[in-house]
Amino acid sequence: MCIDERLNQNNRQFQEDSEENSAWLPSTFAEVVARVKNFTLGEFDREIVENQLYYHTREHLNNVERRANAIFQVIRPYWQASLGNEVTPEYITRTNLLLELCAVAHDMIQIFVPQTQPHTSRRREPGVSENLTFEKLLNYIKGVNQQLKEHCIDNSVLFTDADISIIQDAIEATICIYDPSDQGIYQPALYAQTRDLSIVACIIALADIGSLGIDGIDAYNQEGSLLFLEENPDVIPVIFNQTTATLAVENPELYENIRQRLLKRARFQVTFAKSRLIRYPQEIASLTKEAIAILTCETFQHLNPQTIQEIELTTPTDEDTSLEDLIEFFQLELVMGND
């Protein structure tokens, strides 16, 4: 489905949603956010099925939201103190609601570059999915605001321009770029010194790729498995329907093709982990010393040299690693069996 078709579909869905909820009159901003979250989850569920997603699923959203809330709880008192005595509890609550909305909405749409060659990994162009996600979300929010204005609802339940700016910043902050110098990915928004990034955007970015530091090696490796399946869906029926021993005899070229793709993923698991350890201090440098100390020692407790060394020692990266060993390491048969 092309981008214009997706936006037209969004407009139709909002009209149908509005008709079904014509009597919906919220009394709090939390209720409005809950409605927008329900919309994004519905859109996301369709993306999972249509694009055969293994990594970008509800579990990923739940993990990002959990990690984001954990980071927010650490940063919150120091951030709140920096705002001064004029900040209200309502403002803090609103920020938390926007944080949770962005965690749920940031991956709503996934656009892959059309593949021209068989048995290759599919990929996304940086920023395309994120920009379309925000555009679709913005259209829906505008519709919600308009519907509420027509019923003379208290302005406090409407999304403000400031709210929308925070949402846009947060979604854009999750855009990842590959850096060949360290063979990892990073989020440029966290490095833009000329840009005043909101606390919501900073937290969502850190939470989005924070599985290694916050959740540890097992979670990190599982994400690697799911990302491999999502980017290489052609491999799934091969592994399901044919033993690797038979494949090696009947189609040695495909056997080697899959082995090389898995080996590339395994090596990325190591280089990306190393880059996270190096880049993390710079990404949180704008926070207070107190927040940094707690985040480093407690929240991102697994992001240390010992963890990186264990990943290097346990991840199969040798050129002669067999396909069978790579499948076993990534537990692909187990992961697909749980699908």
PDB file of all heavy atoms in Angstrom, residues 55 59-68 70-71 206-223 295 298-303 307 311:
ATOM      1  N   TYR A  55       9.559  -8.403  15.226  1.00  0.00           N
ATOM      2  CA  TYR A  55      10.143  -7.560  16.270  1.00  0.00           C
ATOM      3  C   TYR A  55       9.210  -6.418  16.648  1.00  0.00           C
ATOM      4  O   TYR A  55       8.975  -6.158  17.837  1.00  0.00           O
ATOM      5  CB  TYR A  55      11.483  -7.006  15.792  1.00  0.00           C
ATOM      6  CG  TYR A  55      12.062  -5.949  16.715  1.00  0.00           C
ATOM      7  CD1 TYR A  55      12.594  -6.291  17.957  1.00  0.00           C
ATOM      8  CD2 TYR A  55      12.074  -4.599  16.348  1.00  0.00           C
ATOM      9  CE1 TYR A  55      13.125  -5.329  18.801  1.00  0.00           C
ATOM     10  CE2 TYR A  55      12.605  -3.638  17.184  1.00  0.00           C
ATOM     11  CZ  TYR A  55      13.128  -4.003  18.405  1.00  0.00           C
ATOM     12  OH  TYR A  55      13.637  -3.043  19.239  1.00  0.00           O
ATOM     13  N   GLU A  59       4.634  -6.643  22.019  1.00  0.00           N
ATOM     14  CA  GLU A  59       5.639  -6.887  23.059  1.00  0.00           C
ATOM     15  C   GLU A  59       6.709  -5.804  23.034  1.00  0.00           C
ATOM     16  O   GLU A  59       7.157  -5.339  24.089  1.00  0.00           O
ATOM     17  CB  GLU A  59       6.274  -8.263  22.872  1.00  0.00           C
ATOM     18  CG  GLU A  59       7.283  -8.602  23.969  1.00  0.00           C
ATOM     19  CD  GLU A  59       7.868  -9.991  23.829  1.00  0.00           C
ATOM     20  OE1 GLU A  59       7.591 -10.655  22.807  1.00  0.00           O
ATOM     21  OE2 GLU A  59       8.617 -10.410  24.741  1.00  0.00           O
ATOM     22  N   HIS A  60       7.132  -5.400  21.839  1.00  0.00           N
ATOM     23  CA  HIS A  60       8.126  -4.329  21.741  1.00  0.00           C
ATOM     24  C   HIS A  60       7.574  -3.035  22.325  1.00  0.00           C
ATOM     25  O   HIS A  60       8.266  -2.337  23.078  1.00  0.00           O
ATOM     26  CB  HIS A  60       8.528  -4.112  20.285  1.00  0.00           C
ATOM     27  CG  HIS A  60       9.397  -2.913  20.073  1.00  0.00           C
ATOM     28  ND1 HIS A  60      10.661  -2.786  20.618  1.00  0.00           N
ATOM     29  CD2 HIS A  60       9.176  -1.743  19.391  1.00  0.00           C
ATOM     30  CE1 HIS A  60      11.190  -1.625  20.277  1.00  0.00           C
ATOM     31  NE2 HIS A  60      10.311  -0.968  19.537  1.00  0.00           N
ATOM     32  N   LEU A  61       6.346  -2.704  21.990  1.00  0.00           N
ATOM     33  CA  LEU A  61       5.738  -1.480  22.530  1.00  0.00           C
ATOM     34  C   LEU A  61       5.666  -1.537  24.049  1.00  0.00           C
ATOM     35  O   LEU A  61       5.967  -0.547  24.728  1.00  0.00           O
ATOM     36  CB  LEU A  61       4.341  -1.280  21.953  1.00  0.00           C
ATOM     37  CG  LEU A  61       4.210  -1.145  20.433  1.00  0.00           C
ATOM     38  CD1 LEU A  61       2.782  -0.760  20.071  1.00  0.00           C
ATOM     39  CD2 LEU A  61       5.192  -0.130  19.876  1.00  0.00           C
ATOM     40  N   ASN A  62       5.256  -2.679  24.578  1.00  0.00           N
ATOM     41  CA  ASN A  62       5.178  -2.819  26.035  1.00  0.00           C
ATOM     42  C   ASN A  62       6.547  -2.665  26.681  1.00  0.00           C
ATOM     43  O   ASN A  62       6.679  -2.053  27.746  1.00  0.00           O
ATOM     44  CB  ASN A  62       4.582  -4.182  26.400  1.00  0.00           C
ATOM     45  CG  ASN A  62       3.118  -4.309  26.024  1.00  0.00           C
ATOM     46  OD1 ASN A  62       2.420  -3.299  25.879  1.00  0.00           O
ATOM     47  ND2 ASN A  62       2.645  -5.528  25.856  1.00  0.00           N
ATOM     48  N   ASN A  63       7.562  -3.224  26.034  1.00  0.00           N
ATOM     49  CA  ASN A  63       8.918  -3.108  26.577  1.00  0.00           C
ATOM     50  C   ASN A  63       9.420  -1.666  26.551  1.00  0.00           C
ATOM     51  O   ASN A  63      10.052  -1.200  27.504  1.00  0.00           O
ATOM     52  CB  ASN A  63       9.872  -4.014  25.787  1.00  0.00           C
ATOM     53  CG  ASN A  63       9.689  -5.480  26.109  1.00  0.00           C
ATOM     54  OD1 ASN A  63       9.226  -5.837  27.188  1.00  0.00           O
ATOM     55  ND2 ASN A  63      10.044  -6.343  25.173  1.00  0.00           N
ATOM     56  N   VAL A  64       9.147  -0.966  25.451  1.00  0.00           N
ATOM     57  CA  VAL A  64       9.566   0.434  25.361  1.00  0.00           C
ATOM     58  C   VAL A  64       8.841   1.265  26.416  1.00  0.00           C
ATOM     59  O   VAL A  64       9.457   2.118  27.080  1.00  0.00           O
ATOM     60  CB  VAL A  64       9.310   0.999  23.950  1.00  0.00           C
ATOM     61  CG1 VAL A  64       9.564   2.503  23.917  1.00  0.00           C
ATOM     62  CG2 VAL A  64      10.199   0.298  22.923  1.00  0.00           C
ATOM     63  N   GLU A  65       7.555   1.032  26.584  1.00  0.00           N
ATOM     64  CA  GLU A  65       6.793   1.786  27.579  1.00  0.00           C
ATOM     65  C   GLU A  65       7.317   1.501  28.989  1.00  0.00           C
ATOM     66  O   GLU A  65       7.474   2.417  29.801  1.00  0.00           O
ATOM     67  CB  GLU A  65       5.304   1.437  27.488  1.00  0.00           C
ATOM     68  CG  GLU A  65       4.443   2.260  28.422  1.00  0.00           C
ATOM     69  CD  GLU A  65       2.960   2.038  28.210  1.00  0.00           C
ATOM     70  OE1 GLU A  65       2.590   1.117  27.440  1.00  0.00           O
ATOM     71  OE2 GLU A  65       2.145   2.773  28.815  1.00  0.00           O
ATOM     72  N   ARG A  66       7.594   0.230  29.266  1.00  0.00           N
ATOM     73  CA  ARG A  66       8.137  -0.129  30.583  1.00  0.00           C
ATOM     74  C   ARG A  66       9.489   0.528  30.819  1.00  0.00           C
ATOM     75  O   ARG A  66       9.734   1.108  31.888  1.00  0.00           O
ATOM     76  CB  ARG A  66       8.257  -1.658  30.685  1.00  0.00           C
ATOM     77  CG  ARG A  66       9.028  -2.138  31.907  1.00  0.00           C
ATOM     78  CD  ARG A  66       9.106  -3.662  31.949  1.00  0.00           C
ATOM     79  NE  ARG A  66       9.642  -4.230  30.727  1.00  0.00           N
ATOM     80  CZ  ARG A  66      10.936  -4.275  30.418  1.00  0.00           C
ATOM     81  NH1 ARG A  66      11.841  -3.755  31.254  1.00  0.00           N
ATOM     82  NH2 ARG A  66      11.351  -4.827  29.296  1.00  0.00           N
ATOM     83  N   ARG A  67      10.373   0.447  29.842  1.00  0.00           N
ATOM     84  CA  ARG A  67      11.698   1.044  30.001  1.00  0.00           C
ATOM     85  C   ARG A  67      11.614   2.563  30.104  1.00  0.00           C
ATOM     86  O   ARG A  67      12.339   3.192  30.878  1.00  0.00           O
ATOM     87  CB  ARG A  67      12.597   0.623  28.830  1.00  0.00           C
ATOM     88  CG  ARG A  67      12.908  -0.862  28.804  1.00  0.00           C
ATOM     89  CD  ARG A  67      14.048  -1.201  27.864  1.00  0.00           C
ATOM     90  NE  ARG A  67      13.750  -1.040  26.469  1.00  0.00           N
ATOM     91  CZ  ARG A  67      13.504  -2.031  25.603  1.00  0.00           C
ATOM     92  NH1 ARG A  67      13.495  -3.295  26.048  1.00  0.00           N
ATOM     93  NH2 ARG A  67      13.284  -1.798  24.325  1.00  0.00           N
ATOM     94  N   ALA A  68      10.708   3.163  29.316  1.00  0.00           N
ATOM     95  CA  ALA A  68      10.548   4.618  29.354  1.00  0.00           C
ATOM     96  C   ALA A  68      10.065   5.075  30.731  1.00  0.00           C
ATOM     97  O   ALA A  68      10.557   6.075  31.276  1.00  0.00           O
ATOM     98  CB  ALA A  68       9.571   5.070  28.275  1.00  0.00           C
ATOM     99  N   ALA A  70      10.535   3.542  33.533  1.00  0.00           N
ATOM    100  CA  ALA A  70      11.628   3.345  34.500  1.00  0.00           C
ATOM    101  C   ALA A  70      12.624   4.502  34.432  1.00  0.00           C
ATOM    102  O   ALA A  70      13.094   4.998  35.468  1.00  0.00           O
ATOM    103  CB  ALA A  70      12.334   2.016  34.215  1.00  0.00           C
ATOM    104  N   ILE A  71      12.950   4.933  33.221  1.00  0.00           N
ATOM    105  CA  ILE A  71      13.875   6.061  33.057  1.00  0.00           C
ATOM    106  C   ILE A  71      13.241   7.342  33.599  1.00  0.00           C
ATOM    107  O   ILE A  71      13.899   8.138  34.281  1.00  0.00           O
ATOM    108  CB  ILE A  71      14.245   6.231  31.569  1.00  0.00           C
ATOM    109  CG1 ILE A  71      15.012   5.006  31.071  1.00  0.00           C
ATOM    110  CG2 ILE A  71      15.085   7.493  31.368  1.00  0.00           C
ATOM    111  CD1 ILE A  71      15.212   4.983  29.565  1.00  0.00           C
ATOM    112  N   LEU A 206      16.079   6.654  24.281  1.00  0.00           N
ATOM    113  CA  LEU A 206      16.881   5.769  25.111  1.00  0.00           C
ATOM    114  C   LEU A 206      16.185   4.435  25.366  1.00  0.00           C
ATOM    115  O   LEU A 206      16.820   3.379  25.364  1.00  0.00           O
ATOM    116  CB  LEU A 206      17.189   6.444  26.450  1.00  0.00           C
ATOM    117  CG  LEU A 206      18.138   7.646  26.421  1.00  0.00           C
ATOM    118  CD1 LEU A 206      18.148   8.353  27.766  1.00  0.00           C
ATOM    119  CD2 LEU A 206      19.557   7.195  26.048  1.00  0.00           C
ATOM    120  N   ALA A 207      14.878   4.481  25.564  1.00  0.00           N
ATOM    121  CA  ALA A 207      14.121   3.259  25.846  1.00  0.00           C
ATOM    122  C   ALA A 207      13.991   2.368  24.619  1.00  0.00           C
ATOM    123  O   ALA A 207      13.972   1.137  24.729  1.00  0.00           O
ATOM    124  CB  ALA A 207      12.728   3.623  26.368  1.00  0.00           C
ATOM    125  N   ASP A 208      13.924   2.985  23.448  1.00  0.00           N
ATOM    126  CA  ASP A 208      13.686   2.232  22.218  1.00  0.00           C
ATOM    127  C   ASP A 208      14.819   1.257  21.919  1.00  0.00           C
ATOM    128  O   ASP A 208      14.573   0.127  21.479  1.00  0.00           O
ATOM    129  CB  ASP A 208      13.490   3.205  21.049  1.00  0.00           C
ATOM    130  CG  ASP A 208      12.924   2.528  19.817  1.00  0.00           C
ATOM    131  OD1 ASP A 208      12.214   1.508  19.967  1.00  0.00           O
ATOM    132  OD2 ASP A 208      13.174   3.012  18.699  1.00  0.00           O
ATOM    133  N   ILE A 209      16.056   1.682  22.137  1.00  0.00           N
ATOM    134  CA  ILE A 209      17.191   0.788  21.869  1.00  0.00           C
ATOM    135  C   ILE A 209      17.945   0.461  23.160  1.00  0.00           C
ATOM    136  O   ILE A 209      19.140   0.191  23.138  1.00  0.00           O
ATOM    137  CB  ILE A 209      18.146   1.385  20.812  1.00  0.00           C
ATOM    138  CG1 ILE A 209      18.714   2.728  21.264  1.00  0.00           C
ATOM    139  CG2 ILE A 209      17.449   1.528  19.475  1.00  0.00           C
ATOM    140  CD1 ILE A 209      19.787   3.268  20.315  1.00  0.00           C
ATOM    141  N   GLY A 210      17.223   0.466  24.269  1.00  0.00           N
ATOM    142  CA  GLY A 210      17.858   0.259  25.570  1.00  0.00           C
ATOM    143  C   GLY A 210      17.740  -1.134  26.141  1.00  0.00           C
ATOM    144  O   GLY A 210      17.987  -1.331  27.332  1.00  0.00           O
ATOM    145  N   SER A 211      17.395  -2.122  25.319  1.00  0.00           N
ATOM    146  CA  SER A 211      17.163  -3.461  25.870  1.00  0.00           C
ATOM    147  C   SER A 211      18.420  -4.054  26.508  1.00  0.00           C
ATOM    148  O   SER A 211      18.344  -4.682  27.567  1.00  0.00           O
ATOM    149  CB  SER A 211      16.632  -4.403  24.787  1.00  0.00           C
ATOM    150  OG  SER A 211      17.580  -4.571  23.756  1.00  0.00           O
ATOM    151  N   LEU A 212      19.576  -3.878  25.880  1.00  0.00           N
ATOM    152  CA  LEU A 212      20.796  -4.461  26.429  1.00  0.00           C
ATOM    153  C   LEU A 212      21.103  -3.892  27.805  1.00  0.00           C
ATOM    154  O   LEU A 212      21.319  -4.637  28.765  1.00  0.00           O
ATOM    155  CB  LEU A 212      21.980  -4.211  25.492  1.00  0.00           C
ATOM    156  CG  LEU A 212      23.350  -4.685  26.010  1.00  0.00           C
ATOM    157  CD1 LEU A 212      23.325  -6.192  26.274  1.00  0.00           C
ATOM    158  CD2 LEU A 212      24.454  -4.326  25.032  1.00  0.00           C
ATOM    159  N   GLY A 213      21.121  -2.556  27.912  1.00  0.00           N
ATOM    160  CA  GLY A 213      21.483  -1.930  29.170  1.00  0.00           C
ATOM    161  C   GLY A 213      20.489  -2.169  30.280  1.00  0.00           C
ATOM    162  O   GLY A 213      20.860  -2.396  31.436  1.00  0.00           O
ATOM    163  N   ILE A 214      19.204  -2.149  29.939  1.00  0.00           N
ATOM    164  CA  ILE A 214      18.165  -2.253  30.969  1.00  0.00           C
ATOM    165  C   ILE A 214      17.759  -3.695  31.238  1.00  0.00           C
ATOM    166  O   ILE A 214      17.574  -4.102  32.386  1.00  0.00           O
ATOM    167  CB  ILE A 214      16.925  -1.418  30.572  1.00  0.00           C
ATOM    168  CG1 ILE A 214      17.306   0.063  30.488  1.00  0.00           C
ATOM    169  CG2 ILE A 214      15.780  -1.619  31.566  1.00  0.00           C
ATOM    170  CD1 ILE A 214      16.182   0.969  30.021  1.00  0.00           C
ATOM    171  N   ASP A 215      17.635  -4.507  30.171  1.00  0.00           N
ATOM    172  CA  ASP A 215      17.079  -5.859  30.321  1.00  0.00           C
ATOM    173  C   ASP A 215      18.107  -6.987  30.244  1.00  0.00           C
ATOM    174  O   ASP A 215      17.784  -8.129  30.553  1.00  0.00           O
ATOM    175  CB  ASP A 215      15.995  -6.086  29.262  1.00  0.00           C
ATOM    176  CG  ASP A 215      14.834  -5.122  29.411  1.00  0.00           C
ATOM    177  OD1 ASP A 215      14.532  -4.743  30.563  1.00  0.00           O
ATOM    178  OD2 ASP A 215      14.233  -4.733  28.396  1.00  0.00           O
ATOM    179  N   GLY A 216      19.311  -6.699  29.786  1.00  0.00           N
ATOM    180  CA  GLY A 216      20.351  -7.720  29.802  1.00  0.00           C
ATOM    181  C   GLY A 216      20.536  -8.482  28.494  1.00  0.00           C
ATOM    182  O   GLY A 216      19.859  -8.248  27.495  1.00  0.00           O
ATOM    183  N   ILE A 217      21.466  -9.435  28.531  1.00  0.00           N
ATOM    184  CA  ILE A 217      21.907 -10.133  27.323  1.00  0.00           C
ATOM    185  C   ILE A 217      20.813 -10.997  26.708  1.00  0.00           C
ATOM    186  O   ILE A 217      20.649 -11.022  25.482  1.00  0.00           O
ATOM    187  CB  ILE A 217      23.147 -10.994  27.631  1.00  0.00           C
ATOM    188  CG1 ILE A 217      24.329 -10.086  28.010  1.00  0.00           C
ATOM    189  CG2 ILE A 217      23.527 -11.860  26.434  1.00  0.00           C
ATOM    190  CD1 ILE A 217      25.574 -10.849  28.429  1.00  0.00           C
ATOM    191  N   ASP A 218      20.078 -11.735  27.518  1.00  0.00           N
ATOM    192  CA  ASP A 218      19.056 -12.631  26.966  1.00  0.00           C
ATOM    193  C   ASP A 218      18.016 -11.852  26.161  1.00  0.00           C
ATOM    194  O   ASP A 218      17.644 -12.253  25.047  1.00  0.00           O
ATOM    195  CB  ASP A 218      18.365 -13.415  28.081  1.00  0.00           C
ATOM    196  CG  ASP A 218      19.277 -14.479  28.684  1.00  0.00           C
ATOM    197  OD1 ASP A 218      20.299 -14.821  28.046  1.00  0.00           O
ATOM    198  OD2 ASP A 218      18.968 -14.969  29.786  1.00  0.00           O
ATOM    199  N   ALA A 219      17.546 -10.741  26.726  1.00  0.00           N
ATOM    200  CA  ALA A 219      16.562  -9.914  26.022  1.00  0.00           C
ATOM    201  C   ALA A 219      17.174  -9.319  24.758  1.00  0.00           C
ATOM    202  O   ALA A 219      16.514  -9.237  23.713  1.00  0.00           O
ATOM    203  CB  ALA A 219      16.052  -8.807  26.946  1.00  0.00           C
ATOM    204  N   TYR A 220      18.416  -8.912  24.851  1.00  0.00           N
ATOM    205  CA  TYR A 220      19.126  -8.327  23.708  1.00  0.00           C
ATOM    206  C   TYR A 220      19.257  -9.330  22.570  1.00  0.00           C
ATOM    207  O   TYR A 220      18.982  -9.013  21.403  1.00  0.00           O
ATOM    208  CB  TYR A 220      20.501  -7.863  24.174  1.00  0.00           C
ATOM    209  CG  TYR A 220      21.385  -7.284  23.093  1.00  0.00           C
ATOM    210  CD1 TYR A 220      21.085  -6.067  22.491  1.00  0.00           C
ATOM    211  CD2 TYR A 220      22.544  -7.954  22.688  1.00  0.00           C
ATOM    212  CE1 TYR A 220      21.923  -5.524  21.513  1.00  0.00           C
ATOM    213  CE2 TYR A 220      23.380  -7.419  21.719  1.00  0.00           C
ATOM    214  CZ  TYR A 220      23.064  -6.209  21.127  1.00  0.00           C
ATOM    215  OH  TYR A 220      23.882  -5.684  20.163  1.00  0.00           O
ATOM    216  N   ASN A 221      19.643 -10.561  22.900  1.00  0.00           N
ATOM    217  CA  ASN A 221      19.778 -11.591  21.875  1.00  0.00           C
ATOM    218  C   ASN A 221      18.427 -11.979  21.281  1.00  0.00           C
ATOM    219  O   ASN A 221      18.323 -12.261  20.083  1.00  0.00           O
ATOM    220  CB  ASN A 221      20.477 -12.821  22.449  1.00  0.00           C
ATOM    221  CG  ASN A 221      21.967 -12.612  22.626  1.00  0.00           C
ATOM    222  OD1 ASN A 221      22.562 -11.737  21.984  1.00  0.00           O
ATOM    223  ND2 ASN A 221      22.584 -13.396  23.488  1.00  0.00           N
ATOM    224  N   GLN A 222      17.395 -12.001  22.116  1.00  0.00           N
ATOM    225  CA  GLN A 222      16.064 -12.319  21.596  1.00  0.00           C
ATOM    226  C   GLN A 222      15.602 -11.261  20.607  1.00  0.00           C
ATOM    227  O   GLN A 222      15.021 -11.579  19.561  1.00  0.00           O
ATOM    228  CB  GLN A 222      15.052 -12.451  22.730  1.00  0.00           C
ATOM    229  CG  GLN A 222      13.669 -12.869  22.217  1.00  0.00           C
ATOM    230  CD  GLN A 222      12.646 -12.982  23.314  1.00  0.00           C
ATOM    231  OE1 GLN A 222      12.638 -12.171  24.243  1.00  0.00           O
ATOM    232  NE2 GLN A 222      11.769 -13.968  23.223  1.00  0.00           N
ATOM    233  N   GLU A 223      15.867  -9.994  20.921  1.00  0.00           N
ATOM    234  CA  GLU A 223      15.522  -8.931  19.981  1.00  0.00           C
ATOM    235  C   GLU A 223      16.272  -9.114  18.665  1.00  0.00           C
ATOM    236  O   GLU A 223      15.720  -8.875  17.585  1.00  0.00           O
ATOM    237  CB  GLU A 223      15.827  -7.562  20.585  1.00  0.00           C
ATOM    238  CG  GLU A 223      14.826  -7.110  21.624  1.00  0.00           C
ATOM    239  CD  GLU A 223      14.950  -5.635  21.948  1.00  0.00           C
ATOM    240  OE1 GLU A 223      15.845  -4.968  21.383  1.00  0.00           O
ATOM    241  OE2 GLU A 223      14.140  -5.137  22.749  1.00  0.00           O
ATOM    242  N   LEU A 295      20.904   6.260  36.780  1.00  0.00           N
ATOM    243  CA  LEU A 295      20.646   5.559  35.515  1.00  0.00           C
ATOM    244  C   LEU A 295      21.761   4.571  35.209  1.00  0.00           C
ATOM    245  O   LEU A 295      21.508   3.425  34.808  1.00  0.00           O
ATOM    246  CB  LEU A 295      20.518   6.564  34.371  1.00  0.00           C
ATOM    247  CG  LEU A 295      19.237   7.390  34.298  1.00  0.00           C
ATOM    248  CD1 LEU A 295      19.330   8.411  33.172  1.00  0.00           C
ATOM    249  CD2 LEU A 295      18.017   6.484  34.082  1.00  0.00           C
ATOM    250  N   GLU A 298      21.923   1.705  38.163  1.00  0.00           N
ATOM    251  CA  GLU A 298      20.720   0.912  38.437  1.00  0.00           C
ATOM    252  C   GLU A 298      19.902   0.609  37.180  1.00  0.00           C
ATOM    253  O   GLU A 298      19.692  -0.557  36.845  1.00  0.00           O
ATOM    254  CB  GLU A 298      19.857   1.641  39.472  1.00  0.00           C
ATOM    255  CG  GLU A 298      20.560   1.839  40.816  1.00  0.00           C
ATOM    256  CD  GLU A 298      19.696   2.558  41.835  1.00  0.00           C
ATOM    257  OE1 GLU A 298      18.469   2.688  41.598  1.00  0.00           O
ATOM    258  OE2 GLU A 298      20.234   3.003  42.862  1.00  0.00           O
ATOM    259  N   THR A 299      19.455   1.639  36.483  1.00  0.00           N
ATOM    260  CA  THR A 299      18.549   1.409  35.347  1.00  0.00           C
ATOM    261  C   THR A 299      19.261   0.714  34.195  1.00  0.00           C
ATOM    262  O   THR A 299      18.787  -0.301  33.669  1.00  0.00           O
ATOM    263  CB  THR A 299      17.949   2.745  34.858  1.00  0.00           C
ATOM    264  OG1 THR A 299      17.457   3.481  35.983  1.00  0.00           O
ATOM    265  CG2 THR A 299      16.813   2.482  33.885  1.00  0.00           C
ATOM    266  N   PHE A 300      20.422   1.239  33.792  1.00  0.00           N
ATOM    267  CA  PHE A 300      21.216   0.633  32.712  1.00  0.00           C
ATOM    268  C   PHE A 300      22.353  -0.203  33.307  1.00  0.00           C
ATOM    269  O   PHE A 300      23.486  -0.143  32.844  1.00  0.00           O
ATOM    270  CB  PHE A 300      21.780   1.732  31.807  1.00  0.00           C
ATOM    271  CG  PHE A 300      20.750   2.371  30.917  1.00  0.00           C
ATOM    272  CD1 PHE A 300      19.965   3.432  31.375  1.00  0.00           C
ATOM    273  CD2 PHE A 300      20.559   1.928  29.623  1.00  0.00           C
ATOM    274  CE1 PHE A 300      19.021   4.028  30.560  1.00  0.00           C
ATOM    275  CE2 PHE A 300      19.617   2.515  28.787  1.00  0.00           C
ATOM    276  CZ  PHE A 300      18.846   3.567  29.255  1.00  0.00           C
ATOM    277  N   GLN A 301      22.017  -1.012  34.293  1.00  0.00           N
ATOM    278  CA  GLN A 301      23.027  -1.733  35.060  1.00  0.00           C
ATOM    279  C   GLN A 301      23.804  -2.760  34.237  1.00  0.00           C
ATOM    280  O   GLN A 301      24.926  -3.136  34.584  1.00  0.00           O
ATOM    281  CB  GLN A 301      22.371  -2.440  36.242  1.00  0.00           C
ATOM    282  CG  GLN A 301      21.305  -3.448  35.839  1.00  0.00           C
ATOM    283  CD  GLN A 301      20.682  -4.136  37.024  1.00  0.00           C
ATOM    284  OE1 GLN A 301      21.390  -4.667  37.873  1.00  0.00           O
ATOM    285  NE2 GLN A 301      19.353  -4.126  37.091  1.00  0.00           N
ATOM    286  N   HIS A 302      23.211  -3.222  33.124  1.00  0.00           N
ATOM    287  CA  HIS A 302      23.884  -4.250  32.322  1.00  0.00           C
ATOM    288  C   HIS A 302      24.853  -3.660  31.295  1.00  0.00           C
ATOM    289  O   HIS A 302      25.599  -4.404  30.657  1.00  0.00           O
ATOM    290  CB  HIS A 302      22.851  -5.104  31.588  1.00  0.00           C
ATOM    291  CG  HIS A 302      21.896  -5.807  32.499  1.00  0.00           C
ATOM    292  ND1 HIS A 302      22.266  -6.904  33.254  1.00  0.00           N
ATOM    293  CD2 HIS A 302      20.581  -5.569  32.783  1.00  0.00           C
ATOM    294  CE1 HIS A 302      21.222  -7.312  33.967  1.00  0.00           C
ATOM    295  NE2 HIS A 302      20.198  -6.518  33.700  1.00  0.00           N
ATOM    296  N   LEU A 303      24.837  -2.343  31.147  1.00  0.00           N
ATOM    297  CA  LEU A 303      25.688  -1.714  30.140  1.00  0.00           C
ATOM    298  C   LEU A 303      27.058  -1.435  30.740  1.00  0.00           C
ATOM    299  O   LEU A 303      27.345  -0.338  31.210  1.00  0.00           O
ATOM    300  CB  LEU A 303      25.020  -0.424  29.641  1.00  0.00           C
ATOM    301  CG  LEU A 303      25.462   0.089  28.261  1.00  0.00           C
ATOM    302  CD1 LEU A 303      25.291  -0.969  27.194  1.00  0.00           C
ATOM    303  CD2 LEU A 303      24.668   1.334  27.891  1.00  0.00           C
ATOM    304  N   THR A 307      29.548  -7.108  30.547  1.00  0.00           N
ATOM    305  CA  THR A 307      28.471  -7.562  29.664  1.00  0.00           C
ATOM    306  C   THR A 307      28.965  -7.664  28.224  1.00  0.00           C
ATOM    307  O   THR A 307      28.680  -8.646  27.520  1.00  0.00           O
ATOM    308  CB  THR A 307      27.279  -6.594  29.733  1.00  0.00           C
ATOM    309  OG1 THR A 307      26.728  -6.614  31.055  1.00  0.00           O
ATOM    310  CG2 THR A 307      26.198  -6.990  28.735  1.00  0.00           C
ATOM    311  N   ILE A 311      29.138 -11.010  25.783  1.00  0.00           N
ATOM    312  CA  ILE A 311      28.530 -11.075  24.454  1.00  0.00           C
ATOM    313  C   ILE A 311      29.561 -11.510  23.413  1.00  0.00           C
ATOM    314  O   ILE A 311      29.287 -12.347  22.542  1.00  0.00           O
ATOM    315  CB  ILE A 311      27.917  -9.711  24.078  1.00  0.00           C
ATOM    316  CG1 ILE A 311      26.681  -9.445  24.926  1.00  0.00           C
ATOM    317  CG2 ILE A 311      27.560  -9.657  22.586  1.00  0.00           C
ATOM    318  CD1 ILE A 311      26.084  -8.069  24.733  1.00  0.00           C
TER     319      ILE A 311
END
